[in-house]
């Protein structure tokens, strides 16, 4: 929090106070720090990036704080491409890959170091550590990250300087750090290619990332169990209770939630991104609960279960649920190395199109309905997406590597078909209106097929009912 603000009680700092503040501090430099366990993996990722841009300087910023009001900031979330290439989460940082004559790169990191105690910055400045907590020294950052580190406060100047040998062709990821962006005069299209490659390079997860995603899913399973165990309190209060219960688990075991939890009871289940979570939870209704714990290293799960609040599905709810379950089974069966990314989506959507034709909600035959995409009125979204540091991971990857690509071992994705009958949809009988069902699991592609990381959560209608009978309070 920046001090000396308008309406501050102490506009003046006496010389005596200033002198008093500067003295009497212990040396807290940490010499015990060792490289983060992710450091060698980040180095391997940087090597792959380096090979794509010989002779060019690459600047990958982490991002800055965003003001919420006055001297209050929103929680900081670093740019995922920066996290992937460094393992670091510091604000105001930037990774630089400096080209070498042999075509490779030397990597270093700009960091915001500790405030000096030789002036008043550390307790009155915009980044005052005394108010927001101790940062790492540059030497500490170098040890943890396994990278040389420099002071970010001179980064713009250093990057703008033209070296004796002439300008260095440079690319920066845009939209992350406006000051650094201004300092390097770069070409928008070439910069977009850098962002694209950074996204591509995250499509296949390394062993360390898979371990983190497993942790994220395992914590998420515990968070779902917490929320279901306390469902009676949600019935007595609102969807907010479910959100809060899951969030407590996310904070305890991870960093936070990886996206706004969707705690959607009754009609709200038909709203894809319902995050207001302020409605009632009524027995007889369905609860569509979509949430994911994000690890402290920022990898997130993304899981959905749709549950009967009373503990038992009505025959109609079960009919819809079973159709979505079968679609998910068909989708998951199509997740294997060498399959096209679109295959699992198409398998699930075909199944749902056939059911919707059978029920008389769209005109058949089923293959024609599917070809025309008629099922989309009720399925709304695609059947999944890549998962990792971002919930919708690798969003800037090349189409040919992602939606038009082929699955490879190490890719992690969600399979999440759904059916949503809007409360005001006059094309379906009244009793169907307001029913929304999604089932979402997180799969890793293996050498021989896939592993469902979220298999720890009951999934079929019978399993869900048995689970609720066991756990729900
Ligand atoms: N929770 C967002 C999604 O399922 O894609
Ligand atoms: Mn989800
Ligand atoms: Mn999802």
């Amino acid at each position: 929090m920046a001090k000396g603000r308008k309406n501050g009680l102490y506009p003046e700092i006496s010389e005596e106070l200033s002198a008093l503040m500067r003295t009497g501090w212990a040396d807290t430099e940490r010499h015990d720090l060792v490289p983060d366990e992710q450091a060698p993996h980040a180095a391997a990722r940087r090597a792959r990036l380096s090979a794509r841009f010989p002779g060019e300087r690459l600047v990958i910023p982490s991002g800055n704080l965003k003001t919420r009001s006055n001297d209050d900031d929103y929680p900081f979330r670093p740019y995922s491409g920066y996290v992937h290439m460094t393992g670091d989460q510091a604000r105001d940082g930037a990774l630089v890959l400096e080209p070498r004559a042999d075509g490779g790169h030397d990597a270093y990191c700009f960091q915001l170091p500790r405030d000096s105690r030789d002036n008043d910055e550390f307790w009155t400045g915009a980044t005052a550590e005394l108010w927001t907590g101790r940062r790492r020294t540059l030497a500490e950052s170098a040890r943890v990250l396994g990278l040389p580190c420099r002071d970010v406060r001179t980064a713009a100047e250093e990057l703008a300087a033209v070296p004796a040998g002439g300008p260095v062709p440079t690319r920066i990821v845009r939209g992350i750090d406006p000051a650094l962006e201004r300092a390097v005069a770069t070409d928008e299209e070439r910069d977009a290619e850098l962002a694209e490659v950074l996204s591509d390079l995250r499509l296949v997860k390394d062993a360390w990332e898979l371990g983190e995603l497993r942790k994220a899913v395992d914590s998420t399973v515990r968070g779902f169990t917490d929320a279901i165990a306390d469902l009676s309190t949600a019935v007595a209060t609102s969807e907010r209770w479910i959100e809060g219960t899951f969030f407590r688990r996310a904070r305890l075991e991870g960093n936070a939630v990886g996206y706004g939890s969707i705690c959607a009871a009754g009609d709200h289940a038909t709203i894809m991104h319902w995050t207001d979570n302020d409605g009632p939870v009524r027995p007889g209704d369905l609860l569509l609960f979509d949430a994911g714990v994000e690890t402290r290293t920022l990898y997130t799960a993304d899981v959905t279960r749709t549950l009967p609040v009373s503990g038992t599905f009505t025959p109609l709810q079960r009919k819809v649920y079973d159709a979505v379950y079968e679609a998910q089974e068909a989708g998951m069966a199509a997740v294997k190395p060498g399959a096209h990314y679109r295959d699992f989506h198409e398998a699930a959507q075909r199944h749902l199109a056939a059911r919707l034709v059978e029920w008389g909600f769209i005109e058949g035959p089923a293959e024609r309905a599917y070809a025309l995409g008629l099922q989309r009125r009720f399925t709304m979204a695609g059947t999944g997406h890549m998962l990792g540091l971002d919930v919708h991971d690798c969003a800037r990857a090349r189409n040919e590597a992602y939606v038009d690509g082929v699955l490879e071992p190490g890719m992690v994705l969600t399979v999440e078909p759904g059916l949503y009958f809007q409360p005001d949809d006059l094309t379906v009988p009244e009793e169907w209106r307001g029913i929304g069902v999604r089932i979402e699991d997180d799969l890793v592609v293996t050498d021989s097929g896939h592993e469902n990381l979220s298999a720890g959560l009951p999934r079929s209608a019978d399993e869900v009912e048995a689970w609720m009978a066991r756990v729900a309070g």
Side-chain angles (χ1 to χ4, degrees), residues 259 262 290-291 302-304 385 391 416 438 440:
Y259 55 91
I262 299 167
D290 180 345
D302 179 14
V303 174
T304 306
H385 51 82
V391 61
E416 50 172 311
R438 174 162 67 254
E440 175 171 28

Side-chain angles (χ1 to χ4, degrees), residues 150-361:
R150 302 188 193 175
D151 190 335
V152 75
R153 289 172 297 198
T154 52
E157 206 180 302
E158 287 177 42
L159 291 173
V162 179
V168 186
T170 299
R171 303 189 195 230
I172 188 169
V173 181
R174 294 196 179 203
I176 314 287
D177 187 320
L180 289 185
E181 216 170 291
R182 279 193 299 275
V184 291
T186 53
D187 174 78
E188 195 171 341
E189 240 173 73
R190 286 159 38 86
D191 288 346
E193 280 168 13
L194 171 60
E196 199 174 73
V197 168
L198 283 163
S199 219
D200 275 12
L201 290 175
R202 286 176 22 222
L203 282 165
V204 174
K205 273 61 183 176
D206 60 36
W208 188 88
E209 294 182 286
L210 292 178
E212 293 304 295
L213 282 160
R214 262 178 216 287
K215 285 189 213 162
V217 174
D218 290 348
S219 290
T220 299
V221 168
R222 287 189 282 277
F224 269 68
T225 308
D226 294 342
I228 304 316
D230 209 4
L231 198 57
S232 59
T233 313
V235 171
T237 56
S238 78
E239 295 166 344
R240 288 175 197 258
W241 191 263
I242 299 165
E243 180 182 348
T245 307
F246 187 83
F247 186 67
R248 188 177 59 227
R249 177 67 64 176
R251 284 295 289 164
L252 182 70
E253 296 190 5
N255 176 57
V257 289
Y259 55 91
S261 299
I262 299 167
C263 308
D267 289 358
H268 292 157
T270 64
I271 304 171
M272 295 295 289
H273 292 160
W274 173 256
T275 51
D276 288 355
N277 301 337
D278 60 356
V281 179
R282 297 191 186 95
D285 282 347
L286 291 175
L287 167 68
L288 186 156
F289 181 27
D290 180 345
V293 173
E294 176 188 70
T295 60
R296 293 183 188 170
T297 55
L298 308 184
Y299 286 82
T300 191
D302 179 14
V303 174
T304 306
R305 288 293 180 269
T306 305
L307 312 156
V309 175
S310 67
T312 316
F313 291 102
T314 66
L316 179 57
Q317 288 168 348
R318 187 179 264 263
K319 183 169 169 168
V320 177
Y321 190 94
D322 284 347
V324 174
Y325 176 79
E326 288 155 13
Q328 198 200 22
E329 289 275 288
M332 293 204 290
V335 175
K336 52 191 167 195
H340 288 278
Y341 175 82
R342 287 182 190 278
D343 289 351
F344 77 90
H345 166 77
E346 289 178 5
Q349 295 283 317
R350 274 205 162 84
H351 185 85
L352 294 174
R355 282 282 175 276
L356 289 161
V357 168
E358 193 182 300
W359 294 333
F361 298 158

Side-chain angles (χ1 to χ4, degrees), residues 379-403:
T379 63
M380 290 178 66
T383 311
H385 51 82
M386 295 294 176
L387 184 69
L389 282 164
D390 293 330
V391 61
H392 294 169
D393 208 33
C394 313
R396 293 167 84 170
R398 286 169 302 128
N399 282 4
E400 56 268 38
Y402 190 167
V403 289

Side-chain angles (χ1 to χ4, degrees), residues 34-90:
V34 293
D36 187 89
E37 67 174 40
Q38 194 179 176
H41 299 282
R45 298 170 202 152
R46 288 194 296 274
R48 290 200 287 147
L49 176 63
S50 163
R52 301 290 290 272
F53 296 101
E56 298 189 53
R57 176 193 279 162
L58 308 176
V59 183
I60 303 158
S62 71
N64 321 121
L65 289 175
K66 184 168 166 22
T67 302
R68 176 171 165 167
S69 65
N70 310 309
D71 56 358
D72 191 22
D73 302 307
Y74 286 102
F76 175 65
R77 177 59 159 79
Y79 163 55
S80 295
Y82 173 83
V83 177
H84 190 235
M85 288 292 151
T86 60
D88 187 36
Q89 298 180 25

